[in-house]
Amino acid sequence: IQELENYTRQDGIPDFRVKSVTKSPVKFPVVYWESEEASSKVIVGEDQANDPVRAEAMAQACDSGSPIVTSVEPLGYSIGRVRDPNGLTIFQPVYDGGEVPDTVRERRAKLVGFVFVPMRGPVIFRNILEGQARRFLDVRIVERNPNGTGSQIYTSSRRNFDRDPAISQENAFPVLGRDWVLVLHSSTVFEQES
């Protein structure tokens, strides 16, 4: 850790230090953060393995050699000017030599770190799924958990999912190691105008 801290300080982050609460000798601190905002000073040096949800996603990404998205979780920091309490984080593993090794054992041995992308899920989906179509369609995205429960990722209308719509459809699909369900309901506006 001391070697990384010294290197990073020489590379232009003079007050860099690894902030970890885990007892594991392996740390995954944020070294570079693209934002110049004040929140970037909080996240730089933070060991992403401090959070069990992120640690699980990183372990899955390492072993699979593929990007993995976390479950919905509190991000704990701002992205842009808005601090949203919940979001998703994608972890892409990076291996020594640049190629994904063939076996899990080799992947663990050659793991260098991760590129990660935190996202405010509700904002992203709102920008993608809303607009004129929102007048006629209520949308919900839920992560289906292994125990059969669901964690809401996004909803366009909190109140309209409590009613029995004229048209309803559910589609399950995998997203970077998670099982998501897209729920579509006809809106009350659609039903009134049809």
Side-chain angles (χ1 to χ4, degrees), residues 49-108:
N50 286 342
D51 180 274
V53 172
R54 292 185 201 141
E56 176 192 348
M58 288 188 296
Q60 289 175 346
C62 172
D63 289 355
S64 69
S66 299
I68 296 290
V69 66
T70 63
S71 296
V72 174
E73 62 161 347
L75 290 176
Y77 45 84
S78 301
I79 300 175
R81 294 182 178 183
V82 179
R83 183 179 170 117
D84 198 318
N86 294 314
L88 307 162
T89 304
I90 298 173
F91 287 96
Q92 171 67 54
V94 178
Y95 301 97
D96 187 29
E99 298 293 322
V100 177
D102 292 330
T103 68
V104 171
R105 185 177 183 165
E106 290 174 308
R107 290 179 198 137
R108 290 177 181 173

Side-chain angles (χ1 to χ4, degrees), residues 154-174:
Y154 168 81
T155 184
S156 63
S157 178
R158 296 189 192 282
R159 64 186 180 280
N160 287 341
F161 278 92
D162 295 333
R163 64 182 189 81
D164 189 25
I167 301 171
S168 179
Q169 183 173 350
E170 290 190 15
N171 295 313
F173 57 101

